[in-house]
Amino acid sequence: MTAQILDGRAVSAAILERVQREVAEFVGSHGRVPVLATVLVGDDPASHTYVRMKASRCAKVGMRSQRIELDETISTETLVNKIRELSDDPEVDGILLQHPVPGHIDERAAFEAIAPSKDVDGVTRTSFATMAFDEGGFRSATPGGIMALLDAYDVPLSGKHAVVVGRSPILGKPVGMLLLTRDATVTYCHSRTVGLADLVAQADVLVAAVGRPELIRGEWIKPGAVVVDAGYAGNKGDVEYAAAAERASLITPVPGGVGPMTIATLLAQTIKAAREHESAGHLGT
Amino acid sequence: MTAQILDGRAVSAAILERVQREVAEFVGSHGRVPVLATVLVGDDPASHTYVRMKASRCAKVGMRSQRIELDETISTETLVNKIRELSDDPEVDGILLQHPVPGHIDERAAFEAIAPSKDVDGVTRTSFATMAFDEGGFRSATPGGIMALLDAYDVPLSGKHAVVVGRSPILGKPVGMLLLTRDATVTYCHSRTVGLADLVAQADVLVAAVGRPELIRGEWIKPGAVVVDAGYAGNKGDVEYAAAAERASLITPVPGGVGPMTIATLLAQTIKAAREHESAGHLGT
């Protein structure tokens, strides 16, 4: 294997250390602990695990998580109202709605109930547009984590061809927009793409984000490419790892690549939200 | 020349006839005329011409345009307040802020003062995200017009490689997102792109949207490609027309291609907004 590892565990640990220091400063200045509200609907075991991990990381960096667990059968309206309450609650700095919600719920309506100033997971329409237009604001957590990981390794993006495989609203679409703001030429591929292998072979930077194990064959990878694998299903990524690592210059392991960066981004954005709430005087105290 | 013309004049005329019928029905049902407010800042002659053309087309289809002309020197705050007034005015159905505004004004702040329900020119963050997420809502006028023109000629998009040259917030970025929702594989190219000729040569559908006359050489065009030229500067498009028309299967003339589709989309969205205001009971009459 020739590729160097894009070590999401190490980079995220460094980010979380910085967040921990920032939280301590925040508590010293403002006399309160930043709060991330996590909203979980239903009993999906994987979702429960994710929310537990996020709560545990919150505690480690000195923030408080407020866990809201709602029954599988609740209506869109009840969920929207609950999230609006959190949006209006001066004690809440950030809101995370664990994705996916049960099929009968209008997920977009639920996302849009999150106040943009508390959208630390970057799921609202406003956050998507501010990412696309390079206007600051919060990033979708996984795309934001991917950009931070690339930057930690000084991966050049300007003028490079970035190929994104996947086009979901909180992963594929925003990561492509973030790469475009950094002057990459960006190609979006997906399930209807004809000639995927030839397009992947053009990628200087490949972001795989579909959740189909080993869809992307190692032999497709351009020699020297940077490979970011955000897929995770059946304990495997979207990229055939061993063969890809023979050709890539840098590659994320799965797990230990993108995953830890997602949580680090979420928490970094939560302390940012808390500071912005204080400076906007939203808390009125 | 082998290419057939994508005749924006003919297609837009058909759309405007439909809009005219819809306006007549609307007036019959609701006893009032739909109103498009146009906001123009400063003395740019081209912008004045565009606004006059839009007002004249409004009149032709039976809608009223309310023209607001503001001094070159006004502040962002004054402009934002004026647009908010229009957003709150129950007599206004749609709002168009003529682009570009003078350099000292925060154009994004002005765009965001437009209520999403009146954003018939599709410039707000909300409209951008609803285009990207295929959620209905209003389209940026030129991208919406391009899609309507492609559909009028039954151009297949699913699985095709669409290359967009340009990445502005109201043209390049949204048209790429609209093509992606139609299952095209989409590549965004721009001023920092390396190897533009090779990327253009892959396009089954090419959308040129940069405003650099004849940047795209005819010899780059893939034989049989569909070429949409949304550029217009110095009386020329972004594509070297005669040479491109030798290779393309369908091509927009400049002028007479994309331009008329933009106005048609704007007016089609204004009558749509008027109907939605009535059914939402926003007018309270």
Side-chain angles (χ1 to χ4, degrees):
Chain A
M1 299 213 201
T2 58
Q4 187 192 347
I5 292 302
L6 286 162
D7 187 344
R9 286 205 181 95
V11 174
S12 68
I15 292 172
L16 290 173
E17 272 177 38
R18 193 197 73 211
V19 170
Q20 186 165 13
R21 283 195 305 274
E22 291 176 354
V23 169
E25 282 167 31
F26 180 91
V27 173
S29 304
H30 302 291
R32 70 175 188 89
V33 172
V35 174
L36 172 67
T38 64
V39 180
L40 176 61
V41 182
D43 300 317
D44 179 62
S47 292
H48 270 270
T49 302
Y50 286 129
V51 169
R52 240 190 336 264
M53 279 170 60
K54 288 163 186 172
S56 139
R57 290 294 162 87
C58 265
K60 269 196 191 154
V61 299
M63 296 199 284
R64 188 158 72 81
S65 68
Q66 177 179 333
R67 288 167 71 176
I68 292 103
E69 302 194 353
L70 299 165
D71 195 85
E72 179 87 28
T73 61
I74 63 158
S75 66
T76 296
E77 195 190 351
T78 305
L79 178 58
V80 162
N81 287 339
K82 182 67 212 171
I83 293 173
R84 286 212 181 116
E85 266 176 44
L86 297 169
S87 289
D88 293 339
D89 184 342
E91 300 206 344
V92 170
D93 296 296
I95 301 169
L96 165 88
L97 171 62
Q98 183 63 40
H99 169 86
V101 295
H104 70 279
I105 289 176
D106 179 347
E107 184 174 76
R108 176 52 50 195
F111 281 159
E112 294 305 315
I114 299 172
S117 64
K118 299 187 180 186
D119 183 22
V120 295
D121 202 31
V123 298
T124 59
R125 292 182 187 129
T126 295
S127 292
F128 179 72
T130 57
M131 283 185 277
F133 299 160
D134 199 14
E135 298 174 328
F138 297 116
R139 295 172 164 196
S140 305
T142 300
I146 289 169
M147 299 306 288
L149 188 58
L150 293 172
D151 284 343
Y153 286 84
D154 290 322
V155 173
L157 295 171
S158 179
K160 300 299 178 183
H161 193 170
V163 175
V164 176
V165 186
R167 52 173 167 167
S168 72
I170 55 175
L171 182 38
K173 277 179 186 151
V175 81
M177 286 291 128
L178 290 170
L179 289 161
L180 188 58
T181 66
R182 294 286 295 278
D183 295 330
T185 299
V186 174
T187 296
Y188 286 96
C189 299
H190 45 79
S191 56
R192 302 295 178 86
T193 290
V194 175
L196 181 61
D198 290 341
L199 289 158
V200 167
Q202 296 180 42
D204 300 307
V205 176
L206 176 71
V207 178
V210 277
R212 288 181 53 192
E214 301 193 338
L215 170 72
I216 293 163
R217 313 305 300 173
E219 72 210 47
W220 298 354
I221 305 297
K222 181 176 175 175
V226 175
V227 175
V228 176
D229 190 345
Y232 187 61
N235 215 25
K236 285 189 171 166
D238 288 342
V239 179
E240 191 192 21
Y241 182 80
E246 300 279 350
R247 301 171 71 92
S249 61
L250 285 164
I251 190 168
T252 53
V254 176
V258 171
M261 295 300 299
T262 298
I263 296 190
T265 302
L266 175 72
L267 299 192
Q269 295 193 142
T270 303
I271 178 63
K272 178 170 178 262
R275 282 196 304 243
E276 288 172 1
H277 286 179
E278 288 294 337
S279 64
H282 280 175
L283 297 180
T285 55
Chain B
M1 300 214 201
T2 57
Q4 187 190 348
I5 292 301
L6 286 161
D7 187 344
R9 284 206 183 96
V11 174
S12 68
I15 292 172
L16 290 172
E17 270 176 41
R18 193 197 73 212
V19 170
Q20 185 166 13
R21 284 194 304 274
E22 290 176 355
V23 169
E25 282 168 31
F26 180 91
V27 173
S29 302
H30 302 291
R32 70 173 188 91
V33 173
V35 174
L36 172 66
T38 63
V39 180
L40 175 61
V41 183
D43 299 317
D44 180 62
S47 292
H48 269 271
T49 302
Y50 285 130
V51 169
R52 240 190 337 264
M53 278 169 62
K54 289 163 186 173
S56 139
R57 290 293 162 87
C58 264
K60 269 196 191 154
V61 299
M63 295 200 284
R64 188 158 72 81
S65 68
Q66 177 180 332
R67 287 167 71 177
I68 291 103
E69 302 195 354
L70 300 166
D71 195 84
E72 178 88 26
T73 60
I74 62 157
S75 66
T76 296
E77 195 189 350
T78 305
L79 178 58
V80 163
N81 288 338
K82 181 68 212 171
I83 294 172
R84 285 212 183 116
E85 267 175 43
L86 297 168
S87 288
D88 292 340
D89 184 344
E91 300 206 344
V92 171
D93 296 296
I95 301 170
L96 165 87
L97 171 62
Q98 182 63 39
H99 169 85
V101 295
H104 70 279
I105 289 175
D106 178 349
E107 184 174 76
R108 177 50 52 195
F111 281 160
E112 294 305 315
I114 299 171
S117 65
K118 299 188 179 184
D119 183 22
V120 293
D121 201 32
V123 297
T124 58
R125 293 182 185 129
T126 295
S127 291
F128 179 73
T130 56
M131 283 185 276
F133 299 159
D134 200 14
E135 296 173 330
F138 296 116
R139 294 173 165 195
S140 305
T142 301
I146 290 170
M147 300 306 290
L149 188 57
L150 293 172
D151 284 344
Y153 287 83
D154 290 322
V155 173
L157 296 172
S158 179
K160 300 299 178 184
H161 193 169
V163 175
V164 177
V165 186
R167 52 173 167 167
S168 72
I170 56 176
L171 181 40
K173 276 179 186 151
V175 80
M177 286 292 127
L178 289 170
L179 289 161
L180 188 58
T181 66
R182 295 287 295 278
D183 295 330
T185 299
V186 174
T187 296
Y188 286 97
C189 300
H190 46 77
S191 56
R192 303 297 178 85
T193 290
V194 176
L196 181 62
D198 290 342
L199 290 158
V200 167
Q202 295 179 43
D204 300 308
V205 177
L206 176 69
V207 179
V210 278
R212 288 181 54 192
E214 301 194 339
L215 169 72
I216 293 163
R217 313 304 301 173
E219 71 209 47
W220 299 354
I221 305 296
K222 180 178 177 173
V226 175
V227 175
V228 176
D229 191 344
Y232 187 61
N235 214 26
K236 285 190 170 164
D238 289 342
V239 179
E240 190 192 21
Y241 182 80
E246 299 280 349
R247 302 170 69 92
S249 62
L250 285 165
I251 190 168
T252 54
V254 176
V258 172
M261 294 301 298
T262 298
I263 296 190
T265 303
L266 175 72
L267 299 191
Q269 295 193 142
T270 303
I271 178 64
K272 178 170 179 262
R275 282 196 303 244
E276 288 172 2
H277 286 179
E278 288 294 337
S279 64
H282 280 175
L283 297 180
T285 54

PDB file of all heavy atoms in Angstrom, chain B residues 86-97:
ATOM      1  N   LEU B  86     -42.529  45.889   0.495  1.00  0.00           N
ATOM      2  CA  LEU B  86     -43.188  45.181  -0.611  1.00  0.00           C
ATOM      3  C   LEU B  86     -43.546  43.756  -0.200  1.00  0.00           C
ATOM      4  O   LEU B  86     -44.593  43.230  -0.585  1.00  0.00           O
ATOM      5  CB  LEU B  86     -42.283  45.168  -1.843  1.00  0.00           C
ATOM      6  CG  LEU B  86     -41.944  46.543  -2.447  1.00  0.00           C
ATOM      7  CD1 LEU B  86     -40.826  46.417  -3.472  1.00  0.00           C
ATOM      8  CD2 LEU B  86     -43.194  47.183  -3.073  1.00  0.00           C
ATOM      9  N   SER B  87     -42.668  43.130   0.580  1.00  0.00           N
ATOM     10  CA  SER B  87     -42.948  41.770   1.061  1.00  0.00           C
ATOM     11  C   SER B  87     -44.207  41.751   1.920  1.00  0.00           C
ATOM     12  O   SER B  87     -44.973  40.782   1.893  1.00  0.00           O
ATOM     13  CB  SER B  87     -41.750  41.229   1.858  1.00  0.00           C
ATOM     14  OG  SER B  87     -40.673  40.928   0.994  1.00  0.00           O
ATOM     15  N   ASP B  88     -44.401  42.823   2.674  1.00  0.00           N
ATOM     16  CA  ASP B  88     -45.564  42.894   3.576  1.00  0.00           C
ATOM     17  C   ASP B  88     -46.814  43.446   2.891  1.00  0.00           C
ATOM     18  O   ASP B  88     -47.903  43.386   3.471  1.00  0.00           O
ATOM     19  CB  ASP B  88     -45.234  43.795   4.783  1.00  0.00           C
ATOM     20  CG  ASP B  88     -44.181  43.179   5.691  1.00  0.00           C
ATOM     21  OD1 ASP B  88     -44.001  41.942   5.619  1.00  0.00           O
ATOM     22  OD2 ASP B  88     -43.532  43.921   6.454  1.00  0.00           O
ATOM     23  N   ASP B  89     -46.656  44.011   1.709  1.00  0.00           N
ATOM     24  CA  ASP B  89     -47.773  44.686   1.033  1.00  0.00           C
ATOM     25  C   ASP B  89     -48.708  43.652   0.402  1.00  0.00           C
ATOM     26  O   ASP B  89     -48.326  42.939  -0.517  1.00  0.00           O
ATOM     27  CB  ASP B  89     -47.199  45.614  -0.046  1.00  0.00           C
ATOM     28  CG  ASP B  89     -48.277  46.435  -0.752  1.00  0.00           C
ATOM     29  OD1 ASP B  89     -49.467  46.077  -0.642  1.00  0.00           O
ATOM     30  OD2 ASP B  89     -47.910  47.413  -1.412  1.00  0.00           O
ATOM     31  N   PRO B  90     -49.964  43.569   0.882  1.00  0.00           N
ATOM     32  CA  PRO B  90     -50.877  42.538   0.357  1.00  0.00           C
ATOM     33  C   PRO B  90     -51.226  42.741  -1.114  1.00  0.00           C
ATOM     34  O   PRO B  90     -51.715  41.817  -1.751  1.00  0.00           O
ATOM     35  CB  PRO B  90     -52.113  42.678   1.246  1.00  0.00           C
ATOM     36  CG  PRO B  90     -52.023  44.022   1.869  1.00  0.00           C
ATOM     37  CD  PRO B  90     -50.575  44.378   1.938  1.00  0.00           C
ATOM     38  N   GLU B  91     -50.950  43.915  -1.663  1.00  0.00           N
ATOM     39  CA  GLU B  91     -51.268  44.135  -3.080  1.00  0.00           C
ATOM     40  C   GLU B  91     -50.175  43.662  -4.028  1.00  0.00           C
ATOM     41  O   GLU B  91     -50.370  43.652  -5.244  1.00  0.00           O
ATOM     42  CB  GLU B  91     -51.543  45.625  -3.321  1.00  0.00           C
ATOM     43  CG  GLU B  91     -52.716  46.111  -2.488  1.00  0.00           C
ATOM     44  CD  GLU B  91     -53.412  47.302  -3.096  1.00  0.00           C
ATOM     45  OE1 GLU B  91     -52.826  47.939  -3.989  1.00  0.00           O
ATOM     46  OE2 GLU B  91     -54.539  47.591  -2.665  1.00  0.00           O
ATOM     47  N   VAL B  92     -49.026  43.305  -3.481  1.00  0.00           N
ATOM     48  CA  VAL B  92     -47.903  42.870  -4.324  1.00  0.00           C
ATOM     49  C   VAL B  92     -47.829  41.344  -4.331  1.00  0.00           C
ATOM     50  O   VAL B  92     -47.813  40.709  -3.281  1.00  0.00           O
ATOM     51  CB  VAL B  92     -46.575  43.471  -3.802  1.00  0.00           C
ATOM     52  CG1 VAL B  92     -45.376  42.849  -4.518  1.00  0.00           C
ATOM     53  CG2 VAL B  92     -46.584  44.984  -3.970  1.00  0.00           C
ATOM     54  N   ASP B  93     -47.783  40.757  -5.535  1.00  0.00           N
ATOM     55  CA  ASP B  93     -47.706  39.288  -5.639  1.00  0.00           C
ATOM     56  C   ASP B  93     -46.271  38.786  -5.808  1.00  0.00           C
ATOM     57  O   ASP B  93     -45.917  37.735  -5.289  1.00  0.00           O
ATOM     58  CB  ASP B  93     -48.545  38.818  -6.833  1.00  0.00           C
ATOM     59  CG  ASP B  93     -50.004  39.124  -6.627  1.00  0.00           C
ATOM     60  OD1 ASP B  93     -50.582  38.554  -5.675  1.00  0.00           O
ATOM     61  OD2 ASP B  93     -50.563  39.945  -7.376  1.00  0.00           O
ATOM     62  N   GLY B  94     -45.490  39.530  -6.596  1.00  0.00           N
ATOM     63  CA  GLY B  94     -44.116  39.109  -6.841  1.00  0.00           C
ATOM     64  C   GLY B  94     -43.183  40.291  -6.762  1.00  0.00           C
ATOM     65  O   GLY B  94     -43.596  41.433  -6.991  1.00  0.00           O
ATOM     66  N   ILE B  95     -41.921  40.011  -6.418  1.00  0.00           N
ATOM     67  CA  ILE B  95     -40.918  41.074  -6.292  1.00  0.00           C
ATOM     68  C   ILE B  95     -39.683  40.693  -7.102  1.00  0.00           C
ATOM     69  O   ILE B  95     -39.156  39.578  -6.967  1.00  0.00           O
ATOM     70  CB  ILE B  95     -40.504  41.292  -4.818  1.00  0.00           C
ATOM     71  CG1 ILE B  95     -41.728  41.658  -3.962  1.00  0.00           C
ATOM     72  CG2 ILE B  95     -39.415  42.363  -4.704  1.00  0.00           C
ATOM     73  CD1 ILE B  95     -41.459  41.649  -2.463  1.00  0.00           C
ATOM     74  N   LEU B  96     -39.240  41.624  -7.931  1.00  0.00           N
ATOM     75  CA  LEU B  96     -37.997  41.445  -8.682  1.00  0.00           C
ATOM     76  C   LEU B  96     -37.039  42.561  -8.311  1.00  0.00           C
ATOM     77  O   LEU B  96     -37.382  43.737  -8.480  1.00  0.00           O
ATOM     78  CB  LEU B  96     -38.287  41.528 -10.187  1.00  0.00           C
ATOM     79  CG  LEU B  96     -37.060  41.731 -11.080  1.00  0.00           C
ATOM     80  CD1 LEU B  96     -36.447  40.393 -11.432  1.00  0.00           C
ATOM     81  CD2 LEU B  96     -37.400  42.516 -12.334  1.00  0.00           C
ATOM     82  N   LEU B  97     -35.860  42.209  -7.795  1.00  0.00           N
ATOM     83  CA  LEU B  97     -34.796  43.206  -7.601  1.00  0.00           C
ATOM     84  C   LEU B  97     -33.849  43.060  -8.781  1.00  0.00           C
ATOM     85  O   LEU B  97     -33.223  42.006  -8.949  1.00  0.00           O
ATOM     86  CB  LEU B  97     -34.055  42.954  -6.286  1.00  0.00           C
ATOM     87  CG  LEU B  97     -32.788  43.787  -6.074  1.00  0.00           C
ATOM     88  CD1 LEU B  97     -33.096  45.289  -6.036  1.00  0.00           C
ATOM     89  CD2 LEU B  97     -32.067  43.356  -4.791  1.00  0.00           C
TER      90      LEU B  97
END
